[in-house]
Amino acid sequence: MQNIDYSIFYKKSFLDYKKVSEFKYDLFISAFNESPRVKEVFKEFGAEEKHWIILPEYAYKETEFPSNGQIFNFKSGLSEADVIINYFEQAKIDDITNKKICIDITGFIRPHLVFLVIYLKHLGLNKVDFIYTDPKSYVKKEETDFSNNCIDKRQIIGCEGISFPDNSNDFLIIGAGYDYQRINDIAKFKNNTTKIHLFGFPSLQADMYQENILKASKARENSASKGDSSFLDNDYVILAPANDPFITAQQIKEFVDKKNLEKPITNIYLCPLSTKAQTLGFALYYIFENESLPMSIIFPFSSNYNRETTEGISKVWIYTVEF
Amino acid sequence: MNPFDITKAVDYTNQQLNDYWVDFPVPFEENIKPTSQMPMLILGGKGSGKTHIMKYFSYELQKLRYGSDLLSKIKEDGFIGIYWRCSGINGSRFNNKGYDEDFWKSIFEYYSEIWVGTLLMRILKDLDIISGNKLITEDILQKIENLFDIKPLKQFISIDDILEHLQILDKQISTEVNNLVFSRGSGLSENFKIHISPTKLFFELPKLLSSEIEYFNNLRFLFLIDEYENLLEYQQKYFNTLLREKEHPTNFKIGAKHYGMLTYKTYSSKEEIKEGAEFELFNLDEFFRESDADGKYLNFIEKICIRRLEHAGYHLTIEEFRNMFEVFNIESLNTDKYSEHIKKLKDNLAEILSSTRLKGKSSNKLSKEQIDEIISSISYPQNILIEKANILLIYRNIKKNGFADVIRESNKIKQNIDNKNFDEQNGIISYYKNDLLDQYCRENLKYVPYTGFDTLVKMSSGIPRSLIRFLKEIYRQADFSDEQPFSKKGRISLKSQLLAIRKESQAIFEDLGNSDRKVLRTLKRIGSFLQELRFSDLPPECSISIFRLNITDTSIEVDNIFKILLDYSYLIEVSDRREKNSNLKDRTFKLNGAIAPIWELSLAKRGVVDINRSELNSIIDSEEDDFKKQLEIIRKKYNFPFSNAITTQKTIEFDAEY
């Protein structure tokens, strides 16, 4: 076990997103989608260079591409690793380890975001800022659909870690968001695990926790390990703020350390399906802990994602990650 | 506590798996044949019980079963079960990243050896401890060490040393595989070496143990490889090769879902493994369904339920358990209150007065008085089935003779009723009883009465988990309504059963697992098509749920859709074995009973509906509006006034050919 205290990582927030115009970064990277949270922040953001990554799963046509910033477009069929590695190869960022870089995680698709974080560490960056903007609400409240049609369930490339043959005490920690069908998919994929739901609490907005529970409970036939009664049982639930990657990582760590002491965990699977901020937290936990535990990040991949699922721009968060 | 809360074997501990084990009336051992030399493929739908059965034959459960007699009992069993769940190996990581199948095959072969070695050595360690460290000598350890192509850094002086070495190699391989993405095609790192050749631990280690240690003489090393569907195709090809070339005392039992066998190919000169020659097939849910006829499946299911109840603290006899479920009984219903079916007939006949669409059907229009006379003649609230049969007789007459003869027919019915002559009605009832009853309930009570334990068993269609899921939800509903389910004083109401079945049928449907929209749309349309027929005024068959594709030369796409529907247990084939052929012609199917209530279909296996080419075209390929038109045609054909059926049918003979 590592002795990292994730809660000491630096973070700050502000209510007026236009403040991002005061920033002075060398490079700003964002993944394009329809959300004003993504487009407005990109427009205002203060940086020497600004890059849009167009992810194939949003299925944008060239005519729909944004007119500001440098565009990096990727064809469908590429893996999350191919997209991110190709981006860095195409972007040819000089002296990247000395650049002041900020990445907007709001529009990223989760597996790409996870691989991006892993890859930044591989590239040797010591410090990167991530930005995340809270929505005011989801478009259709708890009925919001995020992804369609799961086409594959597998480990995220580069996060495959180590697996041991003894699977008598395997755990699956699911960042349980609104997308209950994907929770179903991943719970069925790793059915022989004790499933733990990590819920965003406090949630991004007051009513979202309730909506989240309602939605996630639809998958409980598969995702509640010890029958329905265990769905919200303390032994099977982790709570972490929906917009705090560091506390998310810390809460996962504390939970895993505790369970590992009770009975050695044989394999741990992490599956970030909740907010992007928590997804970042899952990635950080994996980065710092994967050498000491048999661990991997798994994901139910979809062929396409909805371009916009939220309404309004709420708080903006900056997270500073030091690898 | 809900006795049926846990529905999956994977959510049980080994202890629970042992505690909840129920053997089949013909013991599973006779079918699984753990000491047989022939490998076996165990196929089954989701929830059919593969994992529970395979785990039962594993060393972990042998140990729990036999306690202090383990060593002698294993000798009696004649095998040691080494259970391997394929999902654990995370096979997808041994793929792509810019490398071809040959590259990955060599890594996967190596990794599989490390895994099988680890599983086997853990069992050996356990047996050695139980034997008082008498089994594994230094000499044996040395011989195991010699199986490795590269000598370990630390000599093996205990089984722990072997396990430690295997874990180091496991980590090395995993790390190498993980980091290949970053090396972008420049290959494995220079210091990465393959330490052991293929089959050394799969075949040579069991051989060594068998020949060198007396205890293992004549013991079979039985690899129980579960969840085969989680391997990639080339990985299955490798295991198929092992299965084909197995060497005594190793043998394999492979468990997979119906859709899980991605290939039967091997790496042995491109030979395929063949049933009968290289493996025996045990189709679990089919076996259960076939055992339904002589009551063995019911007996098995009852025991499962009683075992569950006992563990939850409910001590009921089978009879008490069965009687817990209220069963719908028409005789206990106050039928005077319900007359929707009569009203429907009256409305239909009244339509003749005003309708222009019936022009040409008959010159004889009915007056209001005549309609009242007909209704009065056929009404027989003393026996709702007779009354429903009377309505059917009226409809038959109209279909045959138009409206010219309907008054005469109703008078005849009236006369027969007065004379207590119900021969004609009884003929209908003997054939259509369930349909008349279901129609009556649907028209008057707004539900189809799927009630009683036997109904639940039928609905499970050879998939025990479906039944457990229904019971779980029934318990929840009944508990919520304070019915004290499964306590001695308790009773589970019709309402609780119906609510639970409605909810859980939908949930099972969503959970069967295929997400191909065209496949699911096909299934839903077949359901709607059969539902339309079943609840028509003159159903073409009784107890509709089975259909036959009366079509030759179906396209590859259609064949594939039906294969998926069968593989994922949305449909169940009811053809005789001799009728099962690779194409679809004349094969008969029914909807999985667990999802049949979504379309209010019968659970009986009686009438077979033929689906012709144009109907199938419409079901599979048409736009939603066109499919609705097709349903409308069916509706007109089998419902009052039956007038447009023939003429309209002609207009929808599609040009489309496969």
Side-chain angles (χ1 to χ4, degrees), chain B residues 109-117 196-202:
Chain B
E109 282 173 358
Y110 174 34
Y111 194 68
S112 301
E113 288 295 318
I114 302 303
W115 267 48
V116 80
I196 195 160
S197 308
T199 73
K200 283 289 177 68
L201 298 179
F202 264 115

Side-chain angles (χ1 to χ4, degrees), chain B residues 14-166:
Chain B
N14 285 336
Q15 186 64 54
Q16 287 171 315
L17 285 172
N18 195 49
D19 293 346
Y20 287 101
W21 173 257
V22 170
D23 211 341
F24 202 69
V26 179
F28 282 115
E29 190 164 347
E30 288 183 23
N31 287 294
I32 300 293
K33 302 172 195 164
T35 55
S36 154
Q37 288 188 36
M38 180 72 103
M40 179 178 278
L41 190 54
I42 304 168
L43 294 184
K46 194 189 236 183
S48 56
K50 290 181 302 299
T51 295
H52 205 152
I53 293 168
M54 291 178 81
K55 280 287 264 187
Y56 178 77
F57 292 101
S58 70
Y59 171 75
E60 289 78 10
L61 264 75
Q62 286 179 302
K63 189 177 173 184
L64 284 171
R65 268 201 301 283
Y66 301 141
S68 56
D69 295 331
L70 179 68
L71 291 176
S72 61
K73 286 287 190 182
I74 282 183
K75 282 296 269 186
E76 274 178 36
D77 277 353
F79 71 93
I80 299 174
I82 304 131
Y83 180 83
W84 178 347
R85 196 188 301 277
C86 293
S87 60
I89 205 163
N90 294 306
S92 66
R93 64 189 153 141
F94 302 95
N95 196 29
N96 292 331
K97 299 178 186 166
Y99 298 91
D100 63 12
E101 184 179 310
D102 284 345
F103 172 88
W104 284 117
K105 178 178 164 269
S106 64
I107 307 274
F108 183 75
E109 282 173 358
Y110 174 34
Y111 194 68
S112 301
E113 288 295 318
I114 302 303
W115 267 48
V116 80
T118 306
L119 293 168
L120 203 42
M121 294 318 298
R122 288 176 65 222
I123 294 172
L124 276 187
K125 182 184 167 184
D126 207 43
L127 285 171
D128 194 42
I129 292 169
I130 292 166
S131 73
N133 299 108
K134 287 178 188 157
L135 290 178
I136 308 297
T137 61
E138 277 182 32
D139 180 49
I140 299 293
L141 291 170
Q142 184 57 52
K143 284 179 175 156
I144 294 174
E145 189 178 309
N146 291 342
L147 293 173
F148 287 78
D149 301 328
I150 297 174
K151 260 190 164 329
L153 289 174
K154 187 175 151 193
Q155 192 191 345
F156 294 163
I157 54 170
S158 69
I159 297 178
D160 280 334
D161 290 338
I162 305 174
L163 283 167
E164 190 183 330
H165 184 59
L166 290 170

Side-chain angles (χ1 to χ4, degrees), chain A residues 2 18 44 47 117 135 147 175 212 217 230 250 303:
Chain A
Q2 300 287 305
K18 292 202 170 171
E44 299 294 335
V117 181
S147 59
N212 194 169
S217 73
S230 67
Q250 184 67 25
S303 52

Side-chain angles (χ1 to χ4, degrees), chain A residues 81-82 85-86 89 115 118-119 122 148-168 170 180-181 184 188-193 195 220-230 267 269 286 290-291 296 298, chain B residues 5-8 10-14 16 46 55 83 85 87-94 97 111 114-116 118-119 122 167 170-171 174-175 177-179 181-184 227 230 257 465 469 472-473 476 503-504 510-513 515-517:
Chain A
D82 289 333
I85 293 174
N86 287 351
E89 284 173 357
F115 186 81
I118 304 285
Y119 198 65
H122 168 76
N148 306 306
N149 209 13
C150 175
I151 52 167
D152 196 9
K153 288 149 282 188
R154 59 169 172 80
Q155 293 166 312
I156 293 177
I157 296 171
C159 307
E160 291 131 326
I162 294 161
S163 314
F164 286 141
D166 179 3
N167 55 27
S168 59
D170 286 2
Y180 80 96
Q181 281 165 325
N184 243 334
K188 283 192 270 188
F189 177 56
K190 284 295 168 195
N191 58 5
N192 180 49
T193 53
K195 283 133 210 127
R220 68 175 186 267
E221 174 61 30
N222 293 305
S223 67
S225 298
K226 306 294 171 196
D228 284 2
S229 51
S230 67
N267 292 285
Y269 297 100
Y286 175 82
N290 82 84
E291 285 181 12
S296 55
I298 57 175
Chain B
D5 203 16
I6 293 182
T7 57
K8 303 187 192 79
V10 288
D11 289 336
Y12 277 144
T13 61
N14 285 336
Q16 287 171 315
K46 194 189 236 183
K55 280 287 264 187
Y83 180 83
R85 196 188 301 277
S87 60
I89 205 163
N90 294 306
S92 66
R93 64 189 153 141
F94 302 95
K97 299 178 186 166
Y111 194 68
I114 302 303
W115 267 48
V116 80
T118 306
L119 293 168
R122 288 176 65 222
Q167 192 172 84
D170 187 331
K171 274 190 178 179
S174 290
T175 307
V177 166
N178 186 76
N179 293 341
V181 67
F182 303 118
S183 66
R184 299 295 273 172
E227 299 184 350
N230 283 312
K257 296 201 173 78
R465 189 190 296 162
R469 288 186 65 160
K472 175 180 175 177
E473 190 57 33
R476 192 157 40 195
K503 187 174 172 193
E504 206 52 31
E510 287 173 14
D511 224 19
L512 284 174
S515 54
D516 185 300
R517 286 177 186 204

Side-chain angles (χ1 to χ4, degrees), chain B residues 214-260:
Chain B
E214 196 189 341
Y215 178 76
F216 293 111
N217 286 348
N218 303 319
L219 269 188
R220 191 167 289 288
F221 288 78
L222 181 66
F223 288 98
L224 300 150
I225 298 180
D226 197 7
E227 299 184 350
Y228 208 49
E229 62 275 8
N230 283 312
L231 295 181
L232 301 179
E233 190 172 328
Y234 85 85
Q235 294 164 353
Q236 288 195 355
K237 202 169 155 187
Y238 174 62
F239 273 92
N240 293 347
T241 311
L242 292 177
L243 186 143
R244 186 173 188 272
E245 295 177 356
K246 70 176 175 50
E247 292 179 22
H248 183 77
T250 294
N251 197 8
F252 297 93
K253 305 284 173 191
I254 288 178
K257 296 201 173 78
H258 291 297
Y259 59 83

Side-chain angles (χ1 to χ4, degrees), chain B residues 264-374:
Chain B
Y264 287 87
K265 286 182 183 162
T266 67
Y267 285 108
S268 315
S269 312
K270 297 180 181 169
E271 291 281 344
E272 290 201 346
I273 48 168
K274 292 189 180 67
E275 186 185 347
E278 275 88 19
F279 69 89
E280 203 175 338
L281 179 66
F282 182 43
N283 190 325
L284 192 53
D285 38 1
E286 198 170 288
F287 166 76
F288 285 147
R289 285 195 291 272
E290 283 168 2
S291 308
D292 196 18
D294 57 9
K296 289 194 184 80
Y297 177 63
L298 173 66
N299 180 266
F300 172 61
I301 289 288
E302 284 170 344
K303 281 195 212 158
I304 290 177
C305 294
I306 294 296
R307 180 67 56 90
R308 289 272 191 141
L309 291 168
E310 280 169 0
H311 277 270
Y314 300 102
H315 301 282
L316 299 177
T317 63
I318 289 177
E319 270 319 293
E320 284 172 330
F321 169 67
R322 293 172 61 85
N323 292 336
M324 187 69 56
F325 299 86
E326 188 182 348
V327 178
F328 177 80
N329 180 1
I330 190 76
E331 279 142 29
S332 64
L333 198 70
N334 180 5
T335 48
D336 289 345
K337 277 168 59 182
Y338 304 109
S339 57
E340 283 301 315
H341 55 298
I342 297 284
K343 183 171 178 294
K344 186 182 165 197
L345 175 65
K346 194 173 176 181
D347 289 349
N348 277 341
L349 296 173
E351 200 178 352
I352 300 167
L353 286 172
S354 57
S355 176
T356 53
R357 72 188 173 96
L358 299 172
K359 272 183 186 171
K361 178 78 188 176
S362 165
S363 54
N364 296 338
K365 289 187 178 176
L366 298 170
S367 67
K368 190 174 176 302
E369 291 70 28
Q370 284 174 312
I371 292 171
D372 289 341
E373 188 189 332
I374 293 169

